[in-house]
């Protein structure tokens, strides 16, 4: 049976449970173990697909087309294990399954209750789809003490009782503040948080203490004493300068060693930290900066374009430059300001998006990038906007638009009627907004003599999608005649996947989201190439 590691958080949110779980995942995988990382989210949405990025940050899309929590992105980037639909669950999904079953009469007249029905369903999720994994790391969203996370905590308590305490390890991540006024590190919030956890019946085996500075031995002893945790298992995590240092820092703090010790396993080999040291060095030492503008609706929230920010940083790592993201809010971008706002940027990126607000600003910025020959990358909605810009200004179709935004436009972009998934035809006309898009991995064929083929160095690619609209393929000849090439297309020749401008040093639009597949240790070729072009852009 796999060993289960449950990660909970206490005191405050945003302590980096995701990053800690991901780093531990890397350290174990690097020693040759098979690892899965999963996330349980206590909110009532069935999945984050319909949640605003303002509220919850980006929606991360998996190969198998699940719209999941952005923490799964961290896990993938650090461990290079592709997450699956079965790796993320929410309270909403659990209740929705239970209520469906109840309506079908599946509970045979019984009263349906949180214990045992909800907790049983959570326990099913924890074990589902696990075959020969050595370790399953399960992160529980939220903070201990929240009403919402109680059923999850109860379920993991039961799980360890059902499966044997020696098969379940509890890690609790807390915050250890430093009080400037008294020049002291305070352990009380950690003590209280562990007390809360113990009142639910969970005794943590390892406490990870997030702190701004190193925690002196005396305070660590205190945490050990009050929390009933072996001193060797009181592990500190001091703020790192770049997230790529996290696996190194957790290794130095012996997190993986203590985890293996708990399960009475001998380490097979030392984890390979060389690649992390190398990129940490590059990130901290590179002096040269390249300014990249991201023009979108959600730029004010740091996590709204998490994978994209990361992928750009990875592109910077492969070109040994720092990326300075110039975040521009699209709805505030007026034509008159374009020149001044984009004056110092060497690359323009329009990310994925939904809805009309801010689209005219994006279209204007694309026009500027096209005319000034500034490297441009349009992702999904960004590509669709680039098609509209070209249709209006070059093909002179004044009413060119997207039927997502305007019913009376000339639809250069229209609803995808149907698509082919593994030989099956899927209709895109479902009126539900949740879970009805073309989601997950789909292939594209790349055209000969295209920039994109040169970048990927391959005839076909497979990338993750999340869209409901597509470029109108019937306009292909019209566009191509004027120098906009359809350089990638679905294998059945029906759905345009990539466009590029011939008469431009670097102008590419993609219908998919390459950012989800970029890794710090393996930067995505599209981002490396985009940053390379931006690096050599001389501005005039
Ligand atoms: N709103 C557009 C569509 O549904 C683009 C989606 C996106 O950018 N992810 O096709």
């Amino acid at each position: 049976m796999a060993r289960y590691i449950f990660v909970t958080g206490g005191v405050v949110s945003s302590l980096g449970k995701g990053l800690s779980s991901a780093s531990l995942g890397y350290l174990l995988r690097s020693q040759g173990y098979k690892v899965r990382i999963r996330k349980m989210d206590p909110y009532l949405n069935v999945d984050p697909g319909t949640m605003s990025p303002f509220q919850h940050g980006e929606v991360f899309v998996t190969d198998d087309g699940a719209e999941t929590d952005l923490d799964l992105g961290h896990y993938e980037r650090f461990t290079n294990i592709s997450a699956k639909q079965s790796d993320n669950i929410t309270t909403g999904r659990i209740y929705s399954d239970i209520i469906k079953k109840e309506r079908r009469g599946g509970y045979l007249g019984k009263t349906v209750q949180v214990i045992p029905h909800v907790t049983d369903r959570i326990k099913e999720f924890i074990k589902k789809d696990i075959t020969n994994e050595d370790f399953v790391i399960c992160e529980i969203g939220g903070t201990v003490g929240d009403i919402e996370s109680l059923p999850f905590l109860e379920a993991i308590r039961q799980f360890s009782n059902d499966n044997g305490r020696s098969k379940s390890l509890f890690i609790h991540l807390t915050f250890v503040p430093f009080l400037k006024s008294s020049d002291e590190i305070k352990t009380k919030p950690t003590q209280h948080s562990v007390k809360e956890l113990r009142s639910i019946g969970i005794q943590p085996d390892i406490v990870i203490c997030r702190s701004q500075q190193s925690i002196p031995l005396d305070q660590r002893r205190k945490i050990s004493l009050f929390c009933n945790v072996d001193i060797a298992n009181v592990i500190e995590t001091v703020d790192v300068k770049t997230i790529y240092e996290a696996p190194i820092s957790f290794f130095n703090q012996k997190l993986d060693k203590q985890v293996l010790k708990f399960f009475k396993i001998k380490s097979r080999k030392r984890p390979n930290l060389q690649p992390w040291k190398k990129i940490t060095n590059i990130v901290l030492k590179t002096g040269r900066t390249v300014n990249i503008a991201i023009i979108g609706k959600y730029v004010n929230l740091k996590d709204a374009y998490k994978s994209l920010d990361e992928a750009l940083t990875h592109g910077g790592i492969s070109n040994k430059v720092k990326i300075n993201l110039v975040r521009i809010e699209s709805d505030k971008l007026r034509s008159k300001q374009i020149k001044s706002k984009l004056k110092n940027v060497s690359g323009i990126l329009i990310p994925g998006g939904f809805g009309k607000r801010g689209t005219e600003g994006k279209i204007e910025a694309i026009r500027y990038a096209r005319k000034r020959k500034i490297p441009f990358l349009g992702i999904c909605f960004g590509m669709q906007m680039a098609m509209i810009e070209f249709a209006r200004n070059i093909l002179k179709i004044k009413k060119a638009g997207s039927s997502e935004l305007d019913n009376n436009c000339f639809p250069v972009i229209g609803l995808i009627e149907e698509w082919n998934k593994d030989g099956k035809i899927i209709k895109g006309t479902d009126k539900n907004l949740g879970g009805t898009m073309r989601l997950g991995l789909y292939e594209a064929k790349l055209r000969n003599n295209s920039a994109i083929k040169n970048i990927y160095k391959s005839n076909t690619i497979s990338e993750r999608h999340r869209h409901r609209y597509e470029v109108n393929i019937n306009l292909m000849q019209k566009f191509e005649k004027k120098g906009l090439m359809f350089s990638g297309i679905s294998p059945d020749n029906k759905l345009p996947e990539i466009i590029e401008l011939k008469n431009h040093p670097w102008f590419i639009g993609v219908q998919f989201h390459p950012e989800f597949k970029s890794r710090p240790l393996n930067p995505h070729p599209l981002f490396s190439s985009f940053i390379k072009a931006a690096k050599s852009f001389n501005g005039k």
Side-chain angles (χ1 to χ4, degrees):
M1 182 188 160
R3 292 128 188 126
Y4 288 81
I5 301 168
F6 297 103
V7 183
T8 54
V11 184
V12 288
S13 57
S14 306
L15 283 179
K17 267 190 308 215
L19 192 57
S20 309
S21 305
S23 300
L24 176 60
Y26 176 84
L27 292 174
L28 294 172
R29 183 174 150 98
S30 176
Q31 291 174 55
Y33 296 108
K34 189 159 183 225
V35 180
R36 276 291 275 283
I37 315 189
R38 345 193 93 163
K39 173 95 195 270
M40 305 188 228
D41 279 310
Y43 46 75
L44 280 172
N45 302 64
V46 172
D47 62 40
T50 52
M51 277 162 102
S52 160
F54 275 130
Q55 283 247 319
H56 196 69
E58 119 188 320
V59 175
F60 186 79
V61 180
T62 59
D63 280 348
D64 59 0
E67 296 176 282
T68 69
D69 187 83
L70 55 81
D71 269 324
L72 272 78
H74 276 313
Y75 306 160
E76 283 206 5
R77 285 188 284 274
F78 276 76
T79 62
N80 203 21
I81 306 165
S82 285
K84 293 188 189 165
Q85 177 115 43
S86 52
D87 290 327
N88 189 202
I89 201 160
T90 67
T91 301
R93 158 98 47 209
I94 290 168
Y95 275 84
S96 149
D97 292 352
I98 289 177
I99 289 168
K100 266 189 220 139
K101 186 169 164 188
E102 188 273 335
R103 293 290 82 187
R104 283 197 311 266
Y107 292 99
L108 305 171
K110 281 198 201 113
T111 311
V112 185
Q113 293 178 297
V114 173
I115 304 173
H117 301 104
V118 171
T119 46
D120 278 356
R121 181 70 190 84
I122 297 172
K123 289 192 282 182
E124 251 171 56
F125 160 76
I126 294 171
K127 275 196 168 169
K128 196 177 166 191
D129 194 21
I130 296 297
T131 48
N132 56 349
E133 277 80 359
D134 298 299
F135 296 100
V136 181
I137 302 174
C138 289
E139 179 189 341
I140 292 104
T143 309
V144 168
D146 297 346
I147 293 176
E148 289 95 334
S149 48
L150 274 176
F152 289 100
L153 297 174
E154 169 60 15
I156 62 173
R157 183 196 67 74
Q158 290 178 14
F159 185 93
S160 87
N161 192 42
D162 300 346
N163 295 285
R165 188 66 180 85
S166 61
K167 291 279 183 220
S168 325
L169 165 72
F170 294 106
I171 297 183
H172 190 52
L173 178 66
T174 73
F175 181 53
V176 178
F178 169 73
L179 286 195
K180 233 181 176 171
S181 51
S182 56
D183 194 24
E184 262 182 318
I185 278 193
K186 291 296 190 188
T187 65
K188 192 74 87 195
T190 298
Q191 294 175 36
H192 276 287
S193 182
V194 170
K195 195 171 150 209
E196 182 83 33
L197 202 54
R198 285 165 66 184
S199 74
I200 306 164
I202 296 174
Q203 166 64 53
D205 304 297
I206 293 178
V207 178
I208 301 180
C209 306
R210 172 90 187 259
S211 164
Q212 282 142 306
Q213 40 183 280
S214 186
I215 305 170
L217 188 60
D218 264 0
Q219 263 81 3
R220 297 226 333 245
R221 279 212 184 99
K222 214 164 158 187
I223 294 172
S224 158
L225 180 71
F226 282 96
C227 301
N228 201 24
V229 171
D230 186 341
I231 179 91
N233 286 350
V234 177
I235 286 174
E236 66 174 31
T237 168
V238 177
D239 297 354
V240 282
K241 286 194 214 75
T242 139
I243 56 168
Y244 308 125
E245 252 186 296
I248 306 170
S249 151
F250 281 117
F251 173 78
N252 291 339
Q253 292 299 318
K254 304 191 173 54
L255 176 61
D256 54 318
K257 190 174 159 206
Q258 292 308 110
V259 166
L260 292 179
K261 196 170 159 199
F262 173 89
F263 290 116
K264 300 193 171 49
I265 298 175
K266 270 219 169 82
S267 170
R268 288 185 189 156
K269 57 178 180 195
R270 207 185 134 90
N272 180 11
L273 295 166
Q274 223 36 51
W276 296 105
K277 286 186 182 153
K278 197 172 143 204
I279 64 169
T280 298
N281 244 331
I282 296 176
V283 170
L284 297 180
K285 292 214 173 114
T286 38
R288 178 150 174 221
T289 300
V290 170
N291 293 333
I292 302 289
I294 296 196
I295 307 174
K297 232 173 17 176
Y298 315 111
V299 286
N300 284 335
L301 185 92
K302 217 179 92 237
D303 279 349
Y305 300 110
K306 186 74 198 154
S307 296
L308 195 57
D309 295 357
E310 284 292 314
L312 286 165
T313 308
H314 305 161
I317 290 173
S318 58
N319 287 287
K320 296 208 164 58
V321 290
K322 258 202 187 81
I323 305 299
N324 176 38
L325 295 177
V326 182
R327 298 168 195 270
I328 301 175
E329 227 180 302
S330 50
D331 28 338
K332 299 216 173 107
L333 191 60
R334 304 278 165 267
S335 339
K336 274 187 270 148
Q337 308 162 322
I338 299 263
K339 208 171 154 190
S340 65
K341 289 221 173 173
L342 297 175
K343 183 167 78 214
N344 295 321
V345 306
S346 314
I348 296 177
L349 192 149
I350 313 267
F354 294 83
K356 195 169 174 63
R357 192 159 57 80
T359 48
E360 292 307 316
K362 290 179 189 176
I363 292 171
E364 275 303 309
I366 296 168
R367 181 174 182 206
Y368 185 80
R370 178 174 58 75
K371 291 180 90 166
R372 299 276 168 141
K373 306 228 184 295
I374 304 171
F376 168 81
L377 175 58
I379 293 181
C380 204
F381 201 55
M383 159 178 167
Q384 297 175 357
M385 294 302 111
M387 296 301 284
I388 296 173
E389 188 279 318
F390 197 86
R392 284 186 192 169
N393 298 317
I394 302 291
L395 305 185
K396 304 290 176 208
I397 308 174
K398 286 291 161 230
K399 287 195 79 173
S402 162
S403 46
E404 176 182 0
L405 317 171
D406 177 4
N407 281 330
N408 300 317
C409 70
F410 178 92
V412 171
I413 311 296
L415 196 66
I416 321 176
E417 304 245 307
E418 56 180 41
W419 63 89
N420 187 321
K421 184 163 182 73
D422 307 326
K424 250 182 43 207
I425 299 296
I426 305 198
K427 298 270 176 208
T429 42
D430 196 324
K431 290 282 172 292
N432 276 342
L433 280 186
T436 54
M437 281 187 269
R438 183 175 178 254
L439 286 163
L441 274 193
Y442 285 91
E443 265 190 15
K445 300 185 290 185
L446 307 186
R447 281 260 288 267
N448 285 336
N449 303 322
S450 61
I452 200 75
K453 190 161 174 179
N454 199 24
I455 291 170
Y456 276 95
K457 310 227 174 319
S458 168
N459 293 328
T460 54
I461 57 165
S462 196
E463 291 278 7
R464 295 185 196 174
H465 294 70
R466 183 177 184 238
H467 66 131
R468 193 174 279 118
Y469 294 84
E470 64 172 330
V471 171
N472 183 344
I473 189 131
N474 300 325
L475 299 170
M476 182 163 155
Q477 272 195 347
K478 269 202 165 98
F479 275 100
E480 295 218 325
K481 251 199 218 143
K482 294 282 183 186
L484 187 146
M485 179 182 186
F486 285 41
S487 53
I489 198 151
S490 61
D492 61 4
N493 292 322
K494 286 192 174 150
L495 217 141
E497 288 274 8
I498 305 161
I499 56 116
E500 58 188 71
L501 276 189
K502 281 202 177 130
N503 212 349
H504 193 289
W506 211 103
F507 189 107
I508 293 177
V510 292
Q511 187 57 79
F512 45 81
H513 290 269
E515 68 271 25
F516 294 139
K517 280 179 71 172
S518 187
R519 311 275 179 263
L521 303 182
N522 190 11
H524 193 290
L526 202 48
F527 287 93
S528 298
S529 172
F530 176 54
I531 300 301
K532 188 173 173 204
K535 188 178 164 186
S536 50
F537 176 72
N538 63 18
K540 298 287 165 291

